[in-house]
Amino acid sequence: MSQKTSHLLPIIPLPLSEAQLKEIVEKSKDWVLMHGISMRPKTQFDEDGLRFLPFVLIPSVFPRKEFEKACEMQSILNELMHKVAHDRCFFTESLKDIVKVDEFTRNLFRIYETVVAEGLTQRVCLGLLRSDYMVDCSYNNKIKQVEINTFSVSLGGIGTNITAFHRYLLRELGHTDTLKNLPENNALKGLCGGLIEAWKIYANPEAVILFLIAEITYKICDQRLHEFKIREMCPQVRVIRRTFTDIAARASLGPKKQLLIDGCEVAVIYFRTGFAPEHYHSHKEWEARFLMERSLAIKAPSIHYHLAGTKKVQQTLAKPGALEQFLSDPLKVAKVKQIFGGLYSLDSDELGEQAVQMAIDDPEKFVLKPQREGGGNNVYGLEVRDAVKKMKDSEERTAWILMERIRPPLTMGYMVRPGGNKVSQLVEVVSELGIYGVVIGDAENITYSKQVGHILRTKPATANEGSTSSGPGALDSPHLID
Ligand code: ADP
Ligand code: MG
C-alpha cells in the first residue's frame, strides 16, 4: 500500500473555448434550475425563490468495474444492515461505551430500549439506504466505503435529474457517442417505490405518508420531487408534511397505536429531519420521536435502523469475525471486506491505544469521526493529531472512530456555482459515489430488497468534505470508463 495519487483523463478534451463555455454554462444553469436541481437560498432566504445547486459541467470519469461492483454490493449491504438493525446484542455491545459519553446516541438508544421492551408495535421496517464510496489510489483504484447512511438519505430526486441534465449537455456539445457511458439512474422512482410498497403493507387506503421535516426546508426540491413522484406512481397516496413541533402538539396514538394527526392516520413516516442533536430543540421533540417510534406507522427508518447507521456500528462491523455473524455466505463476507478500508476504535483497550498512537504518528493518514451525520463534523490532516492528543486521557475518545483516509484519483472539472457571473474555472476534483438501496422486512424475513440508483458528488481536490448545499461540493454524474 502506498500513498500515491493517480489522475484520470476527462471524457472530452478540455478546456472548452471561452465562447463555448459561456454559452453552455448559461444554458446549463437554466436547465438545472428549471428541473429542480435547486434549493431555497440560505442567505437572503426566500420561501418563493430557488437557486440552482452547484454542479459539475462535464460528467466526471469513474471506473466502470468499480461502479458495477458498488451496484452489485447493494443487495448484500441491504441484507447486512437489515440483520444488524435487528440484532439487539450486537447493538448493545457496539454502543455500550458511546452511550456513556454521547448524550445524543444515549437518547436514541433509550428510545430503542424502551420500544423493544414494550414489544414493537410495527414489526415491518423500511430501510432507504445510501452507501457512499470513493475510489482509492492506495488500493489500486478500488472503491472503499466512506459510510453507509440509513437516515434521511437525500439527493435521490436530484440525482435522477442530474443524470438527465448530463445527457442533455453531452448532446448539446455534440458528444452523443459518450451517452452510452452514463448509467441509467432511477433513484427517485426506486426510493418512492419503497415508500409506496410500505404504504401498501400498512393496508389502509385512507392512510397517508408523512414526511417529517424541519421548520425551514432549504432542500425543498429533493423532498418535493419525492412527493410528486409518489403521487404520479400511485395516485391514491397522499403525502403530508409535518415538523416535530406539529407532532408534539397534535399527534396521538389510536387504540391500535395508529399514529393520528390532523384527522389523518399515518401509514409511513419518512424522516427528513432528526439525525442531529440540533433537530431536537427540547424534550418535546424527543417525546414526538418516541411517540412515532411506538406507533403502528412504518418508519423510514425505525430507531434500530437509525442506530445501525452510526459510525460506531460501521467500525464494529469491520472487526474480525463481525460480518460472519450476519452473512452466512463466505463470498458475501469477502465482498464486503473488500470495500472496507481501515476502521479503528479509540476505546480504552489495547487496540484503542494502538489506534491512538497511529493517529499521533501519522495523522494525515486518517480521518477522525464522531457519531454525527450531515457533514462538517469530522477532523482531518494534522488536526487529527491535536484532537487525539487532547482526548486521549478522557472517556470522550470512545465516542470517535478513526478511519484510514481514502486517496481518490484526481480529474479535471468545471464547477458551476450560483452567485454572480464568474467564469467557471477548470479545477482538479475528486468524486464520491452514492448507491441507493431499499429494503423492507421484519426480524425474520426480508420481503423486498433492491438497488435503486446512484448519485455522484464531486469536490475540489483540496477540500476535505463536499456538501453540495453548504460546502464546496457539486452534483455530478459518473461517466464510466474501462
Ligand atoms: P457524514 O455523516 O457527516 O456525511 P462522512 O463519513 O460521510 O460523514 O464524512 C463526510 C465527508 O468526509 C465524506 O463525504 C467525504 O467527503 C469525507 N470523508 C469521510 N471519510 C473519509 C475518508 N475515510 N477518507 C477521505 N475522505 C473522507
Ligand atoms: Mg456522508
Side-chain angles (χ1 to χ4, degrees):
M1 206 186 85
S2 64
Q3 288 208 357
K4 60 186 178 186
T5 303
S6 63
H7 287 76
L8 300 173
L9 287 176
I11 54 168
I12 61 175
L14 297 178
L16 302 177
S17 75
E18 213 170 292
Q20 193 182 23
L21 185 63
K22 187 169 180 295
E23 189 185 341
I24 198 72
V25 165
E26 252 173 45
K27 215 184 296 204
S28 299
K29 283 183 185 180
D30 290 338
W31 199 102
V32 297
L33 189 60
M34 290 165 64
H35 289 77
I37 301 169
S38 313
M39 66 182 283
R40 286 186 179 139
K42 284 192 171 167
T43 49
Q44 296 169 317
F45 178 74
D46 173 4
E47 205 177 52
D48 299 327
L50 293 175
R51 281 194 133 187
F52 72 86
L53 281 161
F55 62 94
V56 173
L57 190 66
I58 316 283
S60 299
V61 289
F62 200 93
R64 184 186 305 275
K65 266 199 188 145
E66 295 306 299
F67 178 85
E68 287 168 356
K69 190 205 285 177
C71 293
E72 281 164 24
M73 282 303 300
Q74 196 55 44
S75 69
I76 307 175
L77 294 177
N78 284 354
E79 178 187 347
L80 176 66
M81 295 316 286
H82 187 81
K83 289 185 174 165
V84 169
H86 287 90
D87 191 322
R88 190 177 179 180
C89 291
F90 185 79
F91 262 133
T92 314
E93 187 53 31
S94 303
L95 299 174
K96 73 175 187 327
D97 291 329
I98 291 205
V99 295
K100 288 186 207 148
V101 291
D102 186 60
E103 191 189 358
F104 183 61
T105 314
R106 182 161 62 242
N107 286 339
L108 292 174
F109 197 74
R110 197 177 289 145
I111 293 180
Y112 167 72
E113 291 271 86
T114 315
V115 293
V116 170
E118 279 183 357
L120 293 178
T121 314
Q122 178 54 260
R123 299 184 71 249
V124 175
C125 296
L126 166 59
L128 304 177
L129 314 179
R130 197 188 67 221
S131 181
D132 292 335
Y133 305 90
M134 287 195 276
V135 169
D136 197 340
C137 301
S138 313
Y139 288 91
N140 206 11
N141 282 354
K142 301 277 187 278
I143 45 166
K144 291 288 166 189
Q145 188 183 50
V146 175
E147 67 158 346
I148 186 153
N149 300 282
T150 59
F151 199 100
S152 194
V153 300
S154 63
L155 295 176
I158 281 175
T160 302
N161 290 1
I162 201 88
T163 301
F165 161 68
H166 280 126
R167 287 182 178 282
Y168 162 80
L169 175 107
L170 289 173
R171 279 204 185 92
E172 281 298 298
L173 291 176
H175 291 282
T176 43
D177 54 316
T178 62
L179 289 175
K180 61 179 184 303
N181 298 319
L182 290 196
E184 235 188 84
N185 192 4
N186 292 312
L188 181 62
K189 194 169 158 213
L191 293 169
C192 293
L195 288 159
I196 293 169
E197 184 67 20
W199 177 83
K200 287 182 182 161
I201 291 171
Y202 191 84
N204 174 358
E206 302 297 319
V208 301
I209 297 181
L210 183 149
F211 283 21
L212 191 85
I213 52 158
E215 266 78 21
I216 299 176
T217 302
Y218 297 105
K219 297 177 187 171
I220 190 68
C221 296
D222 193 55
Q223 293 184 13
R224 289 285 191 206
L225 285 168
H226 284 75
E227 180 176 342
F228 302 157
K229 192 73 181 174
I230 289 170
R231 188 60 111 183
E232 182 191 315
M233 288 171 69
C234 191
Q236 336 42 321
V237 185
R238 196 173 142 222
V239 169
I240 62 169
R241 293 165 60 81
R242 295 292 184 276
T243 63
F244 271 126
T245 313
D246 296 327
I247 302 289
R250 304 195 301 280
S252 61
L253 297 188
K256 292 186 192 151
K257 295 205 187 160
Q258 310 95 311
L259 184 69
L260 308 171
I261 182 162
D262 301 337
C264 300
E265 178 172 341
V266 177
V268 180
I269 306 169
Y270 175 33
F271 285 90
R272 292 291 304 229
T273 187
F275 55 83
E278 57 273 22
H279 300 168
Y280 300 81
H281 310 297
S282 69
H283 69 96
K284 281 196 174 161
E285 286 76 21
W286 282 110
E287 279 164 19
R289 178 76 192 268
F290 184 43
L291 187 81
M292 290 186 275
E293 294 297 338
R294 292 180 71 210
S295 79
L296 187 64
I298 299 174
K299 275 77 68 183
S302 56
I303 189 82
H304 34 312
Y305 255 89
H306 188 170
L307 289 166
T310 52
K311 307 261 184 318
K312 184 65 192 176
V313 168
Q314 184 190 4
Q315 179 261 311
T316 314
L317 281 171
K319 281 185 175 175
L323 290 171
E324 288 82 350
Q325 294 176 46
F326 302 103
L327 301 170
S328 52
D329 180 352
L331 206 64
K332 288 184 182 174
V333 171
K335 284 185 174 171
V336 179
K337 278 189 180 161
Q338 265 188 20
I339 59 162
F340 284 170
L343 284 155
Y344 310 93
S345 90
L346 294 181
D347 293 350
S348 306
D349 56 14
E350 202 186 321
L351 288 176
E353 291 306 330
Q354 282 173 17
V356 163
Q357 203 50 53
M358 285 190 320
I360 292 174
D361 291 346
D362 204 352
E364 287 174 291
K365 219 179 132 192
F366 300 99
V367 178
L368 189 61
K369 300 188 179 186
Q371 305 307 305
R372 291 289 177 272
E373 301 294 324
N377 302 299
N378 301 340
V379 180
Y380 302 86
L382 291 176
E383 287 175 17
V384 169
R385 177 184 287 149
D386 299 338
V388 168
K389 274 187 171 171
K390 214 191 261 172
M391 69 172 81
K392 129 174 147 20
D393 297 319
S394 90
E395 267 197 327
E396 190 209 335
R397 64 189 243 185
T398 56
W400 296 74
I401 65 159
L402 191 69
M403 184 173 179
E404 196 177 350
R405 183 158 190 163
I406 303 170
R407 308 275 168 198
L410 310 180
T411 184
M412 301 301 283
Y414 289 107
M415 304 188 101
V416 185
R417 315 189 73 84
N421 291 321
K422 281 172 255 147
V423 183
S424 306
Q425 301 291 332
L426 195 54
V427 289
E428 276 193 325
V429 294
V430 295
S431 299
E432 180 170 346
L433 176 72
I435 300 289
Y436 294 98
V438 178
V439 55
I440 303 178
D442 59 22
E444 284 81 41
N445 295 303
I446 292 175
T447 53
Y448 186 100
S449 174
K450 289 188 177 177
Q451 181 275 115
V452 298
H454 62 268
I455 176 81
L456 195 75
R457 286 167 300 163
T458 292
K459 63 185 180 185
T462 48
N464 286 325
E465 294 197 14
S467 164
T468 50
S469 54
S470 52
L475 296 152
D476 199 353
S477 301
H479 181 279
L480 304 184
I481 49 161
D482 295 308

